[in-house]
């Protein structure tokens, strides 16, 4: 269903295209001998985001080099993330008599707007993070060192700065274990001991430093982050972030709506275990002090970072209520919890992209699946492609670019001040310029 939604939005030219075009063209370039070069970034993708996972993605993309390949991979990862979410709950529910609560939690996670919103916006490696994060969490708690390290490595291979989240994940599990031991609370045994935490954190930080250095070499732009002042300047220039009340007040209505979506997406339960929410605190501050609205608007890839942390905390909360006997002895409380989860499922379903309601969320980038129409522009864009020589120099509009990712001289007039390709566009002698009637 998620794949169908994503592909339909792509076919009707409503998938925007900048990011989907970046990944498709970068992977196609790698298939033909260049290191993930894309005209849309005026260089290699790895010089913009250090993501070694691109090499694994290339192996799959090479089998069927098409935009829909990426969309299906993303949809599968988001949908399959419900499996480790349920596995975490089942592992924690020692009584094994409240599995229906785990099932409801999994369904809530599958419909949570903050998780599935990214299917509304192109393709992004970030959308794979919830799956890898939850498997890392599960295997750390199960005591499986090899698989926990495998999924930890996959998590930080998506984006170098995910290293911060994963270090905080290790710290949060260790602190939760200390809290349980101090309060004599029965808890699942984890492998996150102090030596494991220390060694793993050092290795992850070393990886982050090396990754940023390699990214600087590829892009030709070294980053000076040796002081707090230089870090603040970097965040301001790159991500439009200023830690001030003015920045926090900007888009305050939309930010409050995102907090509400976090609560109905599982946060209402997760806050019973605040230590486990620690991994998303830095990103929460990053997003809410930024002037870039995409970081905190539903329907973009960035909200996916909140989802796995909240559902892991929610699994802890609900399973502990079940295993402690509170629910089994008081059926009314159990009924209240079940009713609350069902209500949250309904809310997320109605607000989410697969909702049958014919409307667009006023606070996000999510459209109902029933708002897509295969139109004349869509037919023309795909038909025209067959008549153009692949060596042609083409300037395309944002949402039209993805079908033309195989054209090595295709460019996009979008965010040129961000990626620095305006000079290239001004010098180019374009054979074709393609837009739609809306531009």
């Amino acid at each position: 269903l998620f794949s169908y939604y994503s592909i339909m939005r792509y076919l009707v030219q409503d998938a925007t295209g900048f990011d989907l075009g970046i990944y498709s063209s970068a992977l196609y370039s790698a298939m033909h001998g260049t290191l993930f070069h894309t005209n849309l970034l005026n260089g290699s993708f790895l010089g913009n985001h250090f993501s070694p996972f691109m090499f694994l993605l290339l192996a799959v993309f090479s089998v069927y080099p098409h935009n829909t390949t990426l969309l299906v991979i993303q949809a599968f990862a988001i949908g399959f993330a419900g499996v480790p979410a349920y596995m975490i709950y089942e592992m924690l529910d020692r009584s094994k008599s409240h599995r229906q609560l785990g099932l409801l939690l999994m369904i809530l996670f599958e419909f949570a707007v903050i998780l599935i919103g990214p299917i509304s916006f192109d393709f992004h490696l970030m959308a794979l993070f919830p799956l890898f994060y939850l498997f890392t969490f599960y295997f750390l708690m199960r005591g499986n060192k090899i698989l926990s390290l495998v999924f930890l490595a996959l998590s930080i291979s998506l984006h170098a700065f995910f290293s911060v989240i994963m270090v905080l994940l290790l710290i949060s599990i260790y602190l939760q274990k200390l809290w349980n031991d101090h309060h004599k609370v029965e808890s699942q045994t984890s492998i996150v001991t102090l030596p494991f935490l220390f060694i793993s954190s050092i290795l992850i930080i070393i990886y982050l430093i090396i990754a940023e250095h390699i990214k600087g070499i590829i892009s030709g732009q070294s980053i000076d982050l040796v002081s707090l002042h230089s870090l603040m300047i970097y965040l301001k220039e790159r991500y439009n972030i200023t830690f001030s009340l003015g920045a926090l007040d900007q888009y305050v209505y939309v930010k409050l709506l995102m907090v509400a979506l976090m609560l109905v997406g599982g946060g209402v339960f997760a806050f019973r275990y605040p230590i486990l929410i620690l991994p998303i605190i830095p990103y929460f501050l990053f997003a809410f002090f930024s002037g870039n609205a995409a970081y905190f608007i539903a329907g973009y890839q960035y909200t996916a970072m909140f989802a796995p942390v909240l559902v892991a905390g929610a699994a802890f909360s609900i399973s502990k209520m079940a295993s402690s006997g509170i629910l089994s002895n008081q059926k009314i409380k159990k009924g209240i919890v079940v009713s609350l989860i069902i209500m949250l499922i309904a809310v997320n379903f109605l607000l989410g992209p697969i909702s049958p309601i014919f409307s667009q969320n006023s606070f996000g980038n999510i459209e109902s699946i029933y708002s897509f129409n295969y139109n004349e522009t869509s037919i023309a864009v795909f038909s025209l492609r067959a008549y153009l020589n692949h060596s042609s120099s083409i300037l395309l509009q944002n949402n039209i670019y993805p079908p033309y990712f195989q054209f090595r001289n295709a460019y996009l007039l979008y965010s040129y001040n961000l990626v620095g390709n305006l000079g290239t566009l001004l010098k180019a002698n374009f054979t074709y310029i393609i837009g739609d009637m809306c531009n």
Side-chain angles (χ1 to χ4, degrees):
L1 187 59
F2 295 164
S3 296
Y4 178 78
Y5 176 95
S6 300
I7 293 171
M8 276 295 296
R9 192 159 188 176
Y10 160 70
L11 290 177
V12 301
Q13 304 299 299
D14 193 27
T16 62
F18 184 56
D19 292 288
L20 180 60
I22 285 175
Y23 282 100
S24 296
S25 61
L27 290 166
Y28 187 77
S29 295
M31 290 173 56
H32 293 82
T34 57
L35 186 64
F36 302 110
H37 177 86
T38 171
N39 294 336
L40 304 192
L41 293 177
N42 198 29
S44 172
F45 175 86
L46 297 182
N48 188 262
H49 293 299
F50 187 77
S51 305
F53 191 85
M54 287 289 286
F55 290 97
L56 296 177
L57 191 62
L58 176 63
V60 181
F61 186 81
S62 299
V63 176
Y64 188 69
H66 198 282
N67 291 290
T68 55
T69 301
L70 300 180
L71 297 176
V72 170
I73 290 173
Q74 176 175 259
F76 174 81
I78 291 175
F80 199 74
V83 174
Y86 178 82
M87 292 167 66
I88 291 171
Y89 173 86
E90 188 179 46
M91 171 186 63
L92 296 169
D93 181 16
R94 295 182 183 277
S95 68
K96 306 301 181 185
S97 59
H98 299 282
R99 292 186 177 180
Q100 68 273 29
L101 291 174
L103 180 62
L104 288 174
L105 176 65
M106 182 180 72
I107 296 173
L108 170 61
F109 186 52
E110 294 286 359
F111 285 143
V113 175
I114 57 174
L115 172 70
I116 67 174
I119 68 172
S120 301
F121 184 56
D122 296 352
F123 169 84
H124 302 88
L125 288 180
M126 288 183 181
L128 280 61
F129 179 70
L131 177 66
F132 296 156
Y133 179 95
L134 290 174
F135 269 124
T136 304
F137 188 101
Y138 173 76
F139 288 117
L140 285 172
M141 297 297 295
R142 290 286 294 182
N144 191 321
K145 284 187 179 180
I146 295 178
L147 288 178
S148 61
L149 292 175
V150 166
F151 282 101
L152 191 153
L154 287 172
S155 298
I156 62 178
S157 74
L158 296 174
H159 195 296
F161 275 100
F162 284 175
S163 300
V164 177
I165 299 178
M166 301 313 289
V167 168
L168 291 175
L169 168 63
L170 297 175
I171 294 174
S172 67
I173 292 179
Y174 180 72
L175 292 178
Q176 186 63 49
K177 184 174 182 294
L178 290 182
W179 189 93
N180 290 339
D181 293 341
H182 179 72
H183 291 83
K184 296 180 173 58
V185 176
E186 183 183 12
S187 63
Q188 187 75 23
T189 302
S190 72
I191 60 172
V192 187
T193 59
L194 190 58
F196 182 89
L197 170 63
F198 180 76
I199 295 173
S200 300
S201 298
I202 291 296
L203 292 175
I204 293 173
I205 292 171
I206 291 174
Y207 163 78
L208 175 59
I209 295 172
I210 294 175
E212 286 303 299
H213 182 66
I214 295 175
K215 186 178 79 170
I217 294 175
I218 295 174
S219 64
Q221 299 177 347
S222 60
I223 302 173
D224 177 20
L225 300 179
V226 296
S227 67
L228 181 62
H229 178 68
S230 62
L231 176 61
M232 293 297 103
I233 293 176
Y234 171 73
L235 292 175
K236 171 61 179 176
E237 293 180 351
R238 177 69 188 269
Y239 299 106
N240 192 19
I241 294 175
T242 53
F243 294 100
S244 64
L245 291 178
L248 190 62
D249 184 61
Q250 191 178 18
Y251 301 109
V252 63
Y253 175 67
V254 180
K255 292 175 181 178
L256 290 176
L257 283 171
M258 176 51 61
V259 172
L261 289 176
M262 292 170 64
L263 289 173
V264 300
V268 66
F269 296 108
F271 280 96
R272 187 184 176 195
Y273 285 85
I275 295 175
L276 296 177
I277 303 177
L278 176 64
I280 60 169
I281 298 301
Y283 180 71
F284 181 86
L285 296 175
F286 170 91
F288 279 68
F289 280 96
S290 173
N292 186 343
Y295 291 145
F296 45 80
I297 288 183
Y300 291 95
Q301 71 274 21
Y302 302 103
T303 64
M305 261 66 74
F306 297 122
V309 181
L310 294 177
V311 79
F316 249 79
S317 178
I318 297 174
S319 64
K320 293 305 177 185
M321 285 191 290
S323 61
S324 65
I326 296 176
L327 296 177
S328 60
N329 295 334
Q330 301 182 38
K331 293 184 178 180
I332 294 179
K333 286 190 176 181
K334 179 178 180 180
I336 292 174
V337 173
V338 169
S339 300
L340 178 59
I341 297 177
I342 292 175
M343 181 188 72
L344 295 178
I345 291 173
V347 170
N348 280 277
F349 175 70
L350 293 176
L351 293 177
I354 58 175
S355 166
I357 298 178
F358 186 85
S359 65
Q360 180 178 3
N361 287 337
S362 59
F363 55 88
N365 185 44
I366 296 175
E367 290 187 45
S368 165
I369 196 169
Y370 289 97
S371 64
F372 301 153
N373 295 300
Y374 199 61
N375 50 63
E376 292 182 358
T377 298
S378 305
I379 297 171
V381 165
F382 286 102
S383 299
L384 182 62
R385 180 180 57 181
Y387 293 93
L388 303 184
N389 190 306
H390 276 217
S391 63
S392 301
S393 182
I394 309 174
L395 180 63
L396 294 148
Q397 187 181 326
N398 183 19
N399 58 315
I400 294 177
Y401 180 90
Y404 292 83
F405 73 89
Q406 295 178 331
F407 287 69
R408 303 297 295 272
N409 294 317
Y411 291 85
L412 179 63
L413 186 62
Y414 179 80
S415 293
Y416 55 81
N417 58 332
L418 175 65
V419 300
N421 69 345
L422 180 59
T424 303
L425 299 183
L426 290 174
K427 296 175 184 177
N429 181 19
F430 291 108
T431 310
Y432 303 100
I433 299 177
I434 306 174
D436 66 24
M437 61 183 179
C438 298
N439 191 321

Short mmCIF file of all heavy atoms in Angstrom, two decimals, residues 114 253-268 288 344 347-348 351 363:
data_model
loop_
_atom_site.label_atom_id
_atom_site.label_comp_id
_atom_site.label_asym_id
_atom_site.label_seq_id
_atom_site.Cartn_x
_atom_site.Cartn_y
_atom_site.Cartn_z
N ILE A 114 4.23 10.46 11.75
CA ILE A 114 5.65 10.80 11.78
C ILE A 114 6.51 9.70 11.17
O ILE A 114 7.64 9.95 10.75
CB ILE A 114 6.13 11.12 13.21
CG1 ILE A 114 5.85 9.94 14.15
CG2 ILE A 114 5.50 12.39 13.72
CD1 ILE A 114 6.43 10.12 15.53
N TYR A 253 3.17 27.52 15.54
CA TYR A 253 1.95 26.73 15.39
C TYR A 253 2.26 25.37 14.76
O TYR A 253 1.78 24.32 15.22
CB TYR A 253 0.94 27.49 14.52
CG TYR A 253 -0.33 26.72 14.20
CD1 TYR A 253 -1.24 26.39 15.20
CD2 TYR A 253 -0.61 26.32 12.90
CE1 TYR A 253 -2.40 25.68 14.91
CE2 TYR A 253 -1.75 25.61 12.59
CZ TYR A 253 -2.65 25.30 13.60
OH TYR A 253 -3.79 24.59 13.31
N VAL A 254 3.08 25.38 13.72
CA VAL A 254 3.44 24.14 13.04
C VAL A 254 4.27 23.25 13.97
O VAL A 254 4.12 22.03 13.98
CB VAL A 254 4.22 24.43 11.74
CG1 VAL A 254 4.60 23.14 11.04
CG2 VAL A 254 3.39 25.31 10.82
N LYS A 255 5.15 23.85 14.75
CA LYS A 255 5.97 23.08 15.68
C LYS A 255 5.11 22.42 16.77
O LYS A 255 5.37 21.27 17.16
CB LYS A 255 7.03 23.99 16.31
CG LYS A 255 8.08 24.45 15.32
CD LYS A 255 9.06 25.44 15.94
CE LYS A 255 10.09 25.90 14.92
NZ LYS A 255 11.03 26.91 15.48
N LEU A 256 4.13 23.13 17.26
CA LEU A 256 3.23 22.54 18.25
C LEU A 256 2.43 21.39 17.65
O LEU A 256 2.16 20.38 18.33
CB LEU A 256 2.29 23.62 18.81
CG LEU A 256 2.94 24.68 19.70
CD1 LEU A 256 1.93 25.74 20.09
CD2 LEU A 256 3.56 24.04 20.94
N LEU A 257 2.05 21.52 16.40
CA LEU A 257 1.35 20.43 15.73
C LEU A 257 2.26 19.21 15.59
O LEU A 257 1.80 18.06 15.72
CB LEU A 257 0.86 20.89 14.35
CG LEU A 257 -0.37 21.78 14.34
CD1 LEU A 257 -0.61 22.35 12.95
CD2 LEU A 257 -1.60 21.03 14.81
N MET A 258 3.54 19.42 15.35
CA MET A 258 4.46 18.30 15.26
C MET A 258 4.59 17.61 16.62
O MET A 258 4.64 16.38 16.70
CB MET A 258 5.83 18.78 14.77
CG MET A 258 6.89 17.68 14.73
SD MET A 258 6.36 16.17 13.87
CE MET A 258 6.07 16.85 12.23
N VAL A 259 4.64 18.39 17.69
CA VAL A 259 4.68 17.80 19.04
C VAL A 259 3.43 16.95 19.26
O VAL A 259 3.49 15.85 19.83
CB VAL A 259 4.80 18.89 20.11
CG1 VAL A 259 4.64 18.29 21.52
CG2 VAL A 259 6.14 19.60 20.01
N ALA A 260 2.28 17.47 18.81
CA ALA A 260 1.02 16.71 18.95
C ALA A 260 1.09 15.40 18.18
O ALA A 260 0.65 14.36 18.67
CB ALA A 260 -0.15 17.57 18.46
N LEU A 261 1.66 15.43 16.97
CA LEU A 261 1.79 14.21 16.18
C LEU A 261 2.76 13.23 16.83
O LEU A 261 2.58 12.01 16.74
CB LEU A 261 2.27 14.54 14.76
CG LEU A 261 1.25 15.23 13.86
CD1 LEU A 261 1.89 15.60 12.52
CD2 LEU A 261 0.04 14.35 13.62
N MET A 262 3.79 13.75 17.50
CA MET A 262 4.71 12.88 18.23
C MET A 262 3.99 12.20 19.39
O MET A 262 4.23 11.02 19.69
CB MET A 262 5.90 13.69 18.73
CG MET A 262 6.82 14.18 17.63
SD MET A 262 8.07 15.37 18.22
CE MET A 262 9.00 14.34 19.34
N LEU A 263 3.10 12.94 20.06
CA LEU A 263 2.37 12.37 21.19
C LEU A 263 1.40 11.29 20.73
O LEU A 263 1.35 10.19 21.30
CB LEU A 263 1.62 13.47 21.93
CG LEU A 263 2.48 14.45 22.73
CD1 LEU A 263 1.62 15.59 23.28
CD2 LEU A 263 3.18 13.73 23.88
N VAL A 264 0.63 11.57 19.67
CA VAL A 264 -0.35 10.58 19.21
C VAL A 264 0.32 9.43 18.46
O VAL A 264 -0.29 8.38 18.25
CB VAL A 264 -1.43 11.23 18.30
CG1 VAL A 264 -2.17 12.32 19.05
CG2 VAL A 264 -0.83 11.77 17.01
N GLY A 265 1.60 9.61 18.08
CA GLY A 265 2.35 8.55 17.40
C GLY A 265 3.04 7.59 18.35
O GLY A 265 3.83 6.77 17.91
N GLY A 266 2.76 7.70 19.63
CA GLY A 266 3.35 6.80 20.62
C GLY A 266 4.00 7.52 21.77
O GLY A 266 4.29 6.93 22.82
N GLY A 267 4.23 8.84 21.61
CA GLY A 267 4.90 9.60 22.66
C GLY A 267 4.13 9.67 23.95
O GLY A 267 4.72 9.80 25.02
N VAL A 268 2.80 9.57 23.88
CA VAL A 268 1.99 9.64 25.10
C VAL A 268 2.34 8.51 26.05
O VAL A 268 2.21 8.64 27.27
CB VAL A 268 0.49 9.63 24.73
CG1 VAL A 268 0.09 8.30 24.11
CG2 VAL A 268 -0.37 9.94 25.94
N PHE A 288 13.66 22.23 16.01
CA PHE A 288 12.75 23.26 16.50
C PHE A 288 13.41 24.63 16.63
O PHE A 288 12.72 25.62 16.84
CB PHE A 288 12.14 22.81 17.82
CG PHE A 288 10.99 21.87 17.63
CD1 PHE A 288 11.18 20.60 17.13
CD2 PHE A 288 9.69 22.27 17.91
CE1 PHE A 288 10.12 19.73 16.92
CE2 PHE A 288 8.62 21.41 17.71
CZ PHE A 288 8.83 20.14 17.21
N LEU A 344 -5.83 6.42 19.01
CA LEU A 344 -4.65 6.99 18.39
C LEU A 344 -4.44 6.41 16.99
O LEU A 344 -4.00 7.12 16.08
CB LEU A 344 -3.42 6.73 19.26
CG LEU A 344 -3.39 7.41 20.63
CD1 LEU A 344 -2.14 7.03 21.39
CD2 LEU A 344 -3.50 8.92 20.49
N VAL A 347 -6.81 8.28 14.71
CA VAL A 347 -6.36 9.66 14.45
C VAL A 347 -5.23 9.66 13.42
O VAL A 347 -5.24 10.43 12.45
CB VAL A 347 -5.89 10.33 15.76
CG1 VAL A 347 -5.18 11.66 15.46
CG2 VAL A 347 -7.08 10.57 16.67
N ASN A 348 -4.23 8.79 13.62
CA ASN A 348 -3.11 8.72 12.69
C ASN A 348 -3.55 8.28 11.30
O ASN A 348 -3.04 8.77 10.28
CB ASN A 348 -2.03 7.78 13.23
CG ASN A 348 -1.16 8.43 14.27
OD1 ASN A 348 -0.21 9.13 13.96
ND2 ASN A 348 -1.48 8.21 15.55
N LEU A 351 -5.21 11.21 9.48
CA LEU A 351 -4.28 12.28 9.12
C LEU A 351 -3.21 11.84 8.14
O LEU A 351 -2.54 12.66 7.52
CB LEU A 351 -3.60 12.83 10.38
CG LEU A 351 -4.48 13.56 11.39
CD1 LEU A 351 -3.66 13.96 12.61
CD2 LEU A 351 -5.13 14.79 10.75
N PHE A 363 -0.98 21.42 7.64
CA PHE A 363 0.27 21.61 8.36
C PHE A 363 1.38 20.72 7.83
O PHE A 363 2.42 20.59 8.47
CB PHE A 363 0.06 21.31 9.86
CG PHE A 363 -0.51 19.94 10.12
CD1 PHE A 363 0.32 18.83 10.26
CD2 PHE A 363 -1.87 19.76 10.22
CE1 PHE A 363 -0.21 17.58 10.50
CE2 PHE A 363 -2.40 18.50 10.45
CZ PHE A 363 -1.58 17.42 10.59
#
